[in-house]
Structure formats: C-alpha cells, structure tokens
Amino acid sequence: MAVINWLLDAGPTVFLPLLLFIFGLVLRIKPGKAFKAALMVGIGFTGLNLIIGLLTDNLGPAAQAMVKNFGLSLNAIDVGWPAASAISYGTTLGSLAIPIGVALNVFLLVIGLTKTLDVDLWNYWHIAFSGSLVYAATNNFGLGLFTMIVHAMWIYFLADLAAPTIQKHYGLEGISFPQGASAPGFVLALPINWLLDRIPGVKNIHWTPETIQKKLGIFGDSAVMGLIIGIVIGALAQYDLTKMLNLGITTSAVLILMPRMVAILMEGLSPISEAANTMVQKKFPGRNLYIGMDSALAVGQEAVLSASLILVPVSLLIAVILPGNRVLPFGDLATIPFMLAVMAAVFGGNVFRIVVGGVIDLAVSLYIASWIAPLLTSAAKSAHFAMNGATSISVLSDGGAWTTLLIVGMGKLMSWGGMAIVFAIVLGLMIWLNKFRKSDKPISE
C-alpha cells in the first residue's frame, strides 16, 4: 500500500514513464533506448497535462459564470472527475483498485481474454468509483470488491472492441483506451451512427475541420475557430472584452498545441509498443497486444475539441430543459472531450455527428448522474471528502456512463445475484471477441 500511495501521489507523469522503462527492459529494449522512450512519454504527458490544465483553469471559471448568469439552481452539483477520483481512492475499498486491476489484467492476458495491457494505472480509479458506490448502496465490502473486478472486465472488453476503430481513425497503432469515461461511448455511438446513416439529408451532412476550413476560409481554420468559440463562451459568461479575448486565445492555443503533445507522447510509446507486439508474437503466435493508454491521446484532435467546446454551453441548456434532471453540469464541463474521444472515432471525425452524439450522450449522462447522486454523496462522506456546503453531489463523466447504471444498478437492486449476471454477460462477450471473432476489422464498419 505504501508503494501504491507513492505512485498515486507521484502522478502519471512520474509513474507511467517509470513503469514503461521497466517494461521496456523486460521486453529487452536497450536501456538507453528504453530510458529515452519512457522520458518522451513523460514529456508528452507533462505537456498534455499543462494544456488540459490551461483549458480547465480557464473554462471552469467561464462555466461557473455562465451558471450564475443563467440563474441555474439544480440541487446536485457535478464535482468533476478530480473530486470523484479522490473520493474513490479515499475509501479502504478504493485503495485496493490498482492491485486488483493489475492482477486481473495480467490473468486475462495470460488466458487470452483481453489484448489490452493496461499501463494507465491512475485510471483504475474508475473501478474504485463503481466499487465504492455499490459498497455505499449495500454496505457489503465483498460485493464492492467483486464490482471492481466486473467493471474492470467491462473496461478491458470495451477497450479491445474499440481498439481497431481507434487505431484506424487516430493513427494510434497498437493503442487502446481502457478508460472508464471514454470506452462506454463506443457502444453508445454505434446505434447513433447507424440511425444517422438512414435519415435522408442528414446522412449526407459531413463536417470535418478540413471541409469547414475549405467552406469558411480563414474562419474555418482550427486556430481561428478556437478563438471564436472561446470568445462566444466568454460572452455567455458576460466577461469583459479583455477576458473574452484571453479565453479565445487560450482555447485557440489548446486546439493547436494538444495534437503536438500527443505526437511527442507517441514518439516515446512507439518503440515500446513495437517491442511488446514482437514478444507477444514469439510467445503467442497470431495474437496482438494493445498498450492501454489514457484517452487524452485522442482529445487533441481538432474535431473532438471543436465539438466539445460547442457542447459546453449546450450542456447547460440541456440540463435546464431536461425533465427530471437534478445535476448541474460544472466540474466535468472540461472533461467533455474525454467523453467524446471514442465516439468521435465511430463518427469518423464528423463534427456534426459528434455534436449530435454528444447531445444524446449528455442527456443520458445527466439522468444516470442524477440517479447516482445519493450514492456518491454517501461515498464522499465515507471518504471524508469536503462537501464545501453542498448537500448533494454527482459527477457527469463516470457518474453518467451506461456502465455505471448497469453495474451499480444491478448490484444495488439484486446484490450478488445481479452482479453475477453482469459478470456472466461480460465474460461471454470477452470469450466471443477474443476466442471466436477472428477478424481485427473495426466492428464499427
């Protein structure tokens, strides 16, 4: 536990390069090359974190100002993923998420039920989140542990299922996204894409950053679009001209700089990914290995960021007009790109479809997040989380994922029997995907 706590305190920019360096040595990469690769990953993640922090630090206050200006008074506050992860890891149950997740990942890799080697240890907080909610609902510690196992299996399955689509669309060879807030979007996007393909007129709408730039000229350029979107959000926040311009330039900078940080990170990952697949081919001929990474690798794509920024003010409108919604979007407004990262790959980077899919995803997420609000509030109190005067809290990203509704709902309603049913379903899906479905062709095609 001391080692795990040290890793959590160090953060992904330290423990991920350290882990990849050790992994590179195990794969028999020369020490110098393994060190340089791990260092480049650390540099890339540092750059990504700086840019995401830049976006969050500027978009957060703007969102707060919009909420105040519109007079919104929904009673469950979206505290965002940073608070949710602190609550999840702050319980005794949640502190076991990393060793459980790693041990399960290795076991599933050995028996061939997953292709994803999840090196993104920090994001095991997603399974700690669901485990803590089930424990809050049932007061059953063992069931909470089993919940984390089942949720991890779902994440590995969804990561494997979406990996070919992600690799083809983003050009991220050998990468998958076993992240609890992003992976569920793949399944949600498939029927939406199918439906949009069958609506006359709508099926022919195809907006990409390239086509937008071609039609709009300089106003379609990603840097200029970022400037315009930032200024519009600033206007809705009733900022003065100086603050509007600052937010616009910050948003523009995020759109330009984030893809370059991803390129640096991938420069470090490439030799490790190649060596891993070479070793797997020797040990297990015919099997592929995916390196499981944070979906931050995809959020920098222009289509994802552009659609996400459009959806920031839209999400507040949805929250107000949605009957029965109790959650006020706030903390996770800057996390919308992560929620859309995998969905965008299914939509082929079509900004129009990403926005449509995002609206549907946000509406569904608000209802699910409203349902889990009492459970998360209870878990937060157990973790001694500072509520800062709020009587009810929720989280839009993980709290609104359909996997949360399925896993936590079955655990709450049917206890061990419900969780056993969810386990049987995901086990069957993993066997189908890894033992019977031989094609690596993207399932979205």
Side-chain angles (χ1 to χ4, degrees), residues 221-275:
D221 181 84
S222 58
V224 179
M225 282 182 63
L227 176 67
I228 294 171
I229 293 171
I231 289 174
V232 170
I233 293 174
L236 291 172
Q238 296 184 5
Y239 280 179
D240 60 32
L241 180 60
T242 302
K243 291 184 72 174
M244 276 194 290
L245 291 173
N246 276 324
L247 183 59
I249 292 174
T250 298
T251 306
S252 180
V254 169
L255 283 170
I256 296 299
L257 294 175
M258 196 175 286
R260 299 183 185 183
M261 294 303 104
V262 172
I264 292 173
L265 194 150
M266 287 305 299
E267 181 183 337
L269 275 177
S270 293
I272 295 174
S273 179
E274 291 169 7

Side-chain angles (χ1 to χ4, degrees), residues 63-252:
Q64 189 174 20
M66 282 193 290
V67 168
K68 183 178 179 180
N69 294 337
F70 294 152
L72 304 182
S73 58
L74 299 167
N75 65 354
I77 304 299
D78 162 31
V79 293
W81 75 263
S85 63
I87 293 169
S88 303
Y89 277 142
T91 63
T92 303
L93 181 73
S95 66
L96 299 173
I98 290 179
I100 287 174
V102 170
L104 179 64
N105 188 209
V106 172
F107 175 71
L108 293 173
L109 281 167
V110 170
I111 65 175
L113 286 187
T114 187
K115 297 176 182 176
T116 293
L117 173 63
D118 190 359
V119 300
D120 185 21
L121 299 187
W122 168 259
N123 272 314
Y124 281 118
W125 77 262
H126 297 281
I127 68 171
F129 178 81
S130 58
S132 296
L133 292 184
V134 169
Y135 180 54
T138 65
N139 202 33
N140 189 320
F141 192 84
L143 183 59
L145 291 175
F146 187 43
T147 299
M148 291 197 291
I149 292 172
V150 173
H151 192 181
M153 291 174 67
W154 272 105
I155 290 174
Y156 299 142
F157 165 71
L158 293 171
D160 289 344
L161 188 70
T165 302
I166 289 167
Q167 292 168 16
K168 180 179 179 180
H169 178 68
Y170 291 113
L172 301 173
E173 185 177 352
I175 299 298
S176 68
F177 292 153
Q179 196 211 34
S182 297
F186 183 77
V187 172
L188 185 62
L190 290 175
I192 296 173
N193 201 48
W194 180 90
L195 181 62
L196 293 175
D197 277 338
R198 283 153 180 81
I199 300 177
V202 173
K203 66 180 181 181
N204 298 321
I205 300 175
H206 193 79
W207 300 346
T208 65
E210 292 76 21
T211 57
I212 292 172
Q213 183 172 351
K214 185 177 179 180
K215 291 182 178 181
L216 299 180
I218 189 173
F219 293 103
D221 181 84
S222 58
V224 179
M225 282 182 63
L227 176 67
I228 294 171
I229 293 171
I231 289 174
V232 170
I233 293 174
L236 291 172
Q238 296 184 5
Y239 280 179
D240 60 32
L241 180 60
T242 302
K243 291 184 72 174
M244 276 194 290
L245 291 173
N246 276 324
L247 183 59
I249 292 174
T250 298
T251 306
S252 180

Side-chain angles (χ1 to χ4, degrees), residues 429-444:
L429 290 170
M430 296 181 91
I431 292 171
W432 162 75
L433 182 64
N434 292 286
K435 299 296 185 181
F436 294 100
R437 188 177 187 268
K438 301 298 182 182
S439 174
D440 283 331
K441 181 181 178 181
I443 199 168
S444 56

Side-chain angles (χ1 to χ4, degrees), residues 223-415:
V224 179
M225 282 182 63
L227 176 67
I228 294 171
I229 293 171
I231 289 174
V232 170
I233 293 174
L236 291 172
Q238 296 184 5
Y239 280 179
D240 60 32
L241 180 60
T242 302
K243 291 184 72 174
M244 276 194 290
L245 291 173
N246 276 324
L247 183 59
I249 292 174
T250 298
T251 306
S252 180
V254 169
L255 283 170
I256 296 299
L257 294 175
M258 196 175 286
R260 299 183 185 183
M261 294 303 104
V262 172
I264 292 173
L265 194 150
M266 287 305 299
E267 181 183 337
L269 275 177
S270 293
I272 295 174
S273 179
E274 291 169 7
N277 271 306
T278 299
M279 176 171 282
V280 169
Q281 289 299 321
K282 288 181 180 178
K283 301 289 185 181
F284 307 99
R287 283 183 59 184
N288 292 324
L289 180 70
Y290 306 142
I291 303 298
M293 295 292 294
D294 194 308
S295 54
L297 295 182
V299 301
Q301 193 192 50
E302 293 176 18
V304 176
L305 276 176
S306 299
S308 301
L309 291 168
I310 292 170
L311 287 168
V312 168
V314 172
S315 65
L316 295 173
L317 175 63
I318 296 171
V320 173
I321 65 175
L322 206 61
N325 170 53
R326 297 176 50 215
V327 175
L328 174 62
F330 177 61
D332 263 338
L333 288 175
T335 310
I336 291 176
F338 291 84
M339 297 170 65
L340 301 183
V342 176
M343 296 181 73
V346 177
F347 298 134
N350 186 333
V351 177
F352 172 76
R353 293 196 176 195
I354 298 172
V355 171
V356 172
V359 168
I360 296 171
D361 186 26
L362 285 167
V364 172
S365 297
L366 284 167
Y367 276 128
I368 300 174
S370 295
W371 177 75
I372 66 101
L375 297 179
L376 183 58
T377 302
S378 176
K381 291 176 180 177
S382 298
H384 305 291
F385 178 76
M387 301 283 285
N388 295 325
T391 57
S392 179
I393 62 172
S394 190
V395 59
L396 188 60
S397 53
D398 264 66
W402 64 263
T403 46
T404 299
L405 178 64
L406 173 66
I407 296 167
V408 178
M410 291 294 280
K412 180 181 179 183
L413 294 175
M414 299 176 62
S415 189

